[in-house]
Structure formats: C-alpha cells, structure tokens
C-alpha cells in the first residue's frame, strides 16, 4: 500500500518513518551484513541495525496504542484499559522520545548503538518546546544534532564510517531550503555521496571492494525518511553507492587495516583485537558515566556510550569482560548484559572460519521476566531471553535465541500474553530457515515452569508439545503488583500505589497490603482445587510474605504442595501458579 506523504515532521511522521525504515532495512539486511568486513568479518551490521529499529518501532507503536486505548494501571498486561485518553493522539515529543528510548534499549553492536544516538540527537531537537510539528528547518537542525551527538558518543571517531556519512547528511540538509521533503532528499543525497567515498577514506574498505556497512544502513534509514515526506522511493545520485564495488567474498578477519573500524569506532592497533564484545544497559548519573568512559577506554577499544537522562547503552571490545562489567557496577546498575567471545564463534565470525557445530535434536526457548527465573530455566536446559519491566523483547531477539539454541526442533514459550504475536513472527521467520518450531501460548512464567517440568526431549516432538501445552493450560496464574496510576479495573477504580491482585490476566482484587492481597488471591485460586502452588517472589517482597503464604497452604489445603523461587527484578511483586 502506498504511503501517504507527510507535510510536516509530526508524531505520525515519526511513526511512518520508523515503519518504513524497518521495512527498508529488512530488505537490505543481508546485503549490509555481507559487506561488514572489519574489525572482524562478523556479518551482522544489517541485522544489528534492523533489531535496533525494530525496538524503536515497538516503542512508538506502544505510545500510539496507549493514546488510542488508554493506559492500564500497572503499565503492563492484566488491568482493564481505562478508555481513550485523548483522541488527538501522541505529540511529536511523545513519539520522538519513544523512538529514541526504544532504539536505546534495543541497540545492538556498534552500528546499533551509533544509530540509537543519532535518533536520540534528533529527538532532542524534535521534542524541544513541545512543538506540534517541525518544518524543513527543524528537520535540518535535528539531523545536525544527530550527527554531532553520535560523533561525541564514540571514544575515537574514524572517518570513512557511518559518522562521516551522518555528518555529510547533516551538512547537505543544513544547506537546503524548503519543506521537510526537500531537506530529507538533500540529506539522503549527501549521505549517498559520502557513502560512495568511504572506500577511499578507509583502506580496509578499498581492499575489500565495499562501502561502509554502517553508512549503508544509515542511507537506507534516510531513504525511508525521504519516502515519509514525499511518498516516493528515494533515488540516489547517478552513481549507485548502495551496491558493493565488488564482492568481498574470501576476506577473512584480520585482512583489514589495524586502527580502523567500519562501525565508526577505532579498532585495535595490533594483529588481533580484544577477545570479547561487552554490551549492557546502565542506570547511572552523568558524572559516573564520564568516569566509566575513561576506565573502559583504558580497558579496550571500539568504545561507544550513548544515552542520557539516567539510562545509557554501553558497548566496548575488551580482553577482560569481567572488568568491563565491574566498571559498570561501580558506575551504576548494569543490566541486559551481553558478552560475546569473538574467538569462540558465538557471533562475529563467519561459517568458513570454524567447523559447523552439530545441531541438537530439540531445545526450549523461553522469555523470562527476571534474572532468578532465567537461572531456573537455564538449569532446566532452556535458552532464555530476559524481559525486563517496560522492555519486552522484539521478534529479532527471539529469532536470535532460537538460532543460539542450535536445534532442529524448538519449543517456544513467550510466557506473556502480549508477546504471543511477537513470538509468532519469530517462529515464522525461523521456520523459513528449516527449523521446526512449536509455539506454546504460555501467558505467564509460572505456566512456562509447568510446561518445562514435563518436557521430555526423548519423546516424539508432537507428543512433547502436546504434553507441555496441556501442563501450561492446566496452570492458573496470578500476580500481585502495585498500580502506577489511577485507572478503571474489573475490580473497580484503583489509585496509584494500590496493591493489585490479578488472576488469569484480570484485576480481581484491590488492596493496600501485599501479604493480605496475596493471601486472598491464593485462596480464590485454590477454591477451584489444585495440587501444586508455585510462588515466584520479586526482589521487593520480604521472605515473611512467602512464609505466610506457605503456612496458609499447609494449614488450609491438605495435600497441596508449595514450591518457592526467587525471581529477581521481575516487575511483579509476586507470581503465583496453581496446578
């Protein structure tokens, strides 16, 4: 369907641009991956950019959905929607901030973190003064801020990379006069010209016969911006910089020139780079982050730190991964920590460089809401994807987890009703790769625990899936949480700070005391019978609550067993399952 061009840069334009950028990167992903040659031939720049934009799209869509249907009391699934909160929809500031935040929490690799900072720089301009919309001049200023802030986020910027392409786009946009379509087209053409020149700026690209992969991805994103404002597919200058100069097949890691990196950050000066890539989100103050930059810069290279307002995305290549994480702990609270060993072939190495690992016959991939449950699921043999409050995983993360499981048959447990469509999209993608996937529509982590308890990989796949589905379906689930705002619910009107008891996804009780509310919820669930109670406590729940619930079951319900787990920072105060 043809897109309706946007006259000004408003909230709808942000939404349209993000959606078109995701489509464009989806089409170009494999091409971009193929030309990613340095510092190692990891072939993942296109994928990283796609996952970053996918996270931005999800955040923007959530803002529009919230304005269309209202926000629930807990900020998550379960409470009844409060009704429309304004037919006018989100503001430009709302959409721009959501885009930047989504990209920040979903950023992958150097390319993704730099793109996240580019979008953050644009959002800073677009959200200034809470304006209704930006014109061509405002778009030019946003692109300028984007390029400058991205360059500042990289510890040692290198020319001939995405940073050069971003600066060229901003320069061209700043010299253009007219509406947003005119400025966007100027930025795109400036980026195309700069991209075509990248092989001449970086010998490693010239030797490989390719343009910069990160810059190629930015050109795709800017092309989507042109389509947003003109309704037409962007057409570059006469020389097509999108295509590779010639194939880069056969180029191995280490063939590049030391000291340069196609993602914009300086690489090591020796023959071999650091052993690990470390990425994490960090809750920290600005002053602490400045000290962190200095420490990480001394530990390794390819350092990119993006974000602000208390939330940062940190990316660095180091030999001592533990020291990089410890530095984050000293600065604040690191989370969503991802450590990749380059030499082990986790990612960042091509198939030609390592013998193929034999696939397992069957695996389970599960989304879990806290570190404690992630450990529990991992001990049971599952590959886990951590979902923190307000940070649901995108389909690309689930696809990567399925690939990481490296099995012919995979059982996928989303453990959240709101993730069912995301999980279905991931399953559809990996099925196209020849992996047999069964999606069990678990709506809570306690249902996933029940399914995993009966998992038997020695059974026929269909029989195993039926057994796991039956166990999950026979498990009623509940949670106790705290309302974040006033809202209408199935149990009446709640106020911010009220304790909510949700049963099977609906608010069944509004209380003021965690222990009393949890006990009442448990009684209601056991009134229909049960043989096993599973309790998963969050970090903010004292052990006395668990003891009270265990005593309640022991004294009031004969022949019912109780099992207790610590879930960590899982969002809800308490999860309850009754089988």
């Amino acid at each position: 369907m043809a897109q309706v061009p946007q006259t000004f840069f408003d909230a709808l334009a942000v939404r349209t641009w993000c959606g078109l950028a995701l489509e464009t990167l989806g089409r170009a992903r494999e091409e971009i991956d193929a030309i990613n040659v340095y510092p190692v031939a990891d072939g993942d720049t296109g994928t990283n950019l796609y996952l970053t934009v996918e996270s931005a799209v999800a955040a923007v869509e959530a803002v529009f959905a919230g304005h269309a249907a209202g926000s629930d009391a807990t900020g998550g699934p379960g409470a009844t929607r409060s009704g429309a909160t304004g037919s006018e929809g989100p503001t430009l500031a709302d959409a721009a901030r959501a885009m930047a935040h989504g990209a920040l929490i979903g950023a992958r690799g150097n390319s993704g973190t730099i793109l996240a900072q580019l979008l953050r720089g644009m959002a800073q301009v677009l959200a200034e003064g809470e304006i209704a919309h930006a014109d061509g001049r405002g778009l030019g200023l946003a692109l300028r801020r984007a390029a400058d802030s991205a360059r500042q986020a990289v510890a040692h910027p290198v020319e001939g990379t995405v940073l050069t392409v971003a600066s060229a786009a901003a320069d061209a946009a700043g010299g253009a006069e007219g509406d947003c379509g005119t400025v966007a087209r100027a930025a795109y053409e400036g980026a195309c010209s700069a991209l075509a020149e990248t092989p001449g700026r970086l010998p490693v690209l010239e030797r490989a016969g390719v343009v910069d992969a990160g810059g190629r991805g930015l050109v795709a994103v800017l092309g989507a911006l042109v389509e947003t404002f003109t309704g037409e597919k962007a057409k570059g200058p006469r020389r097509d910089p999108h295509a590779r100069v010639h194939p880069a097949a056969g180029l191995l890691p280490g063939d590049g020139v030391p000291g340069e990196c196609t993602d914009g950050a300086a690489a090591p000066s020796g023959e071999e780079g650091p052993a690990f890539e470390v990425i994490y989100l960090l809750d920290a103050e600005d002053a602490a982050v400045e000290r962190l930059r200095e420490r990480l810069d001394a530990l390794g290279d390819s350092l990119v730190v993006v974000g602000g307002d208390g939330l940062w995305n940190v990316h660095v290549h180091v030999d001592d991964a533990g020291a990089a994480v410890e530095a984050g702990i000293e600065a604040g609270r690191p989370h969503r920590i991802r450590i990749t060993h380059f030499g082990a072939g986790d990612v960042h190495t091509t198939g030609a460089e390592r013998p193929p690992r034999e696939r397992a016959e069957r695996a389970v991939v599960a989304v879990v809401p806290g570190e404690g449950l992630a450990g529990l699921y991992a001990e049971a043999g599952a590959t886990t994807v951590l979902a923190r409050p307000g940070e649901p995983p995108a389909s690309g993360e689930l696809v990567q987890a399925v690939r990481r499981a490296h099995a012919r048959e995979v059982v996928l447990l989303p453990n959240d009703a709101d993730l069912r469509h995301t999980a279905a999209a991931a399953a559809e993608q990996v099925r196209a790769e020849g992996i047999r996937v069964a999606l069990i529509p678990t709506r809570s982590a306690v249902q996933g625990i029940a399914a995993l308890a009966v998992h038997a990989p020695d059974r026929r796949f269909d029989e195993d899936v039926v057994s796991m589905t039956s166990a999950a379906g026979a498990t009623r689930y509940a949670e106790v949480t705290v309302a974040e705002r006033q809202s209408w619910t199935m149990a009446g009107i709640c106020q911010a700070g009220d304790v909510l008891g949700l049963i099977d996804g609906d608010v069944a009780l509004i209380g003021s005391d965690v222990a009393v509310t949890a006990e009442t919820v448990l009684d209601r669930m056991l009134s229909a019978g049960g043989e096993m109670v599973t309790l998963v406590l969050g970090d903010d729940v004292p052990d006395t609550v668990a003891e009270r619930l265990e005593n309640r079951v022991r004294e009031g319900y004969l022949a019912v067993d109780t099992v207790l787990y610590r879930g960590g920072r899982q969002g809800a105060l308490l999860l309850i399952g009754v089988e």
Side-chain angles (χ1 to χ4, degrees), residues 526 529-533 558-562 578-579:
L526 286 173
E531 299 174 355
M532 170 74 75
V533 171
L558 300 178
V560 176
D561 295 323
T562 304
V578 174
E579 302 175 46

Side-chain angles (χ1 to χ4, degrees), residues 549-572:
L549 295 177
E550 288 180 306
N551 289 335
R552 179 66 175 171
V553 174
R554 187 181 305 110
E555 296 171 2
Y557 302 94
L558 300 178
V560 176
D561 295 323
T562 304
V563 61
L564 175 67
Y565 302 109
R566 277 286 178 182
R569 297 179 62 88
Q570 62 185 24

Side-chain angles (χ1 to χ4, degrees), residues 25-37:
L25 286 171
R27 292 191 296 269
R29 180 182 60 80
E30 292 184 0
E31 175 198 334
I32 298 172
D33 283 345
I35 64 173
N36 180 202
V37 297

Side-chain angles (χ1 to χ4, degrees), residues 224-239:
L225 188 65
V226 173
E227 186 175 356
T228 297
F229 292 117
T230 67
E232 301 174 358
K233 298 287 185 182
K235 295 180 180 179
R238 186 170 302 173
R239 178 181 177 182

Side-chain angles (χ1 to χ4, degrees), residues 29-105:
R29 180 182 60 80
E30 292 184 0
E31 175 198 334
I32 298 172
D33 283 345
I35 64 173
N36 180 202
V37 297
Y38 195 83
V40 286
D42 50 0
D44 67 353
T45 288
T47 299
N48 286 339
L49 290 169
Y50 181 88
L51 293 174
T52 302
V53 173
E54 185 181 45
S55 183
V57 169
V60 172
E61 289 300 322
V63 167
F64 272 85
H67 277 263
S71 299
D72 66 49
T74 65
T80 302
R81 298 294 180 182
S82 60
T85 60
S87 58
E88 296 179 359
T91 65
L92 172 59
D94 291 335
R97 289 178 183 133
M99 170 186 71
H101 180 73
L104 178 66
I105 65 174

Side-chain angles (χ1 to χ4, degrees), residues 192-221:
C192 286
S193 297
L195 179 66
E197 296 171 359
T198 54
R201 289 177 174 250
L202 274 179
V204 61
L205 300 179
E206 188 171 21
R207 289 178 59 192
V210 297
V211 295
D212 176 66
R216 168 66 182 93
L218 179 58
V219 164
V221 172

Side-chain angles (χ1 to χ4, degrees), residues 368-407:
V368 290
E371 295 91 342
L373 283 178
L376 173 67
Y377 273 74
E379 288 176 7
T383 298
T384 62
V385 178
L386 190 61
R388 291 187 173 276
E391 301 173 9
S395 64
E397 291 182 76
L398 300 187
V399 169
Q400 286 193 330
V402 171
R403 291 171 179 162
R404 192 166 68 248
H406 204 66

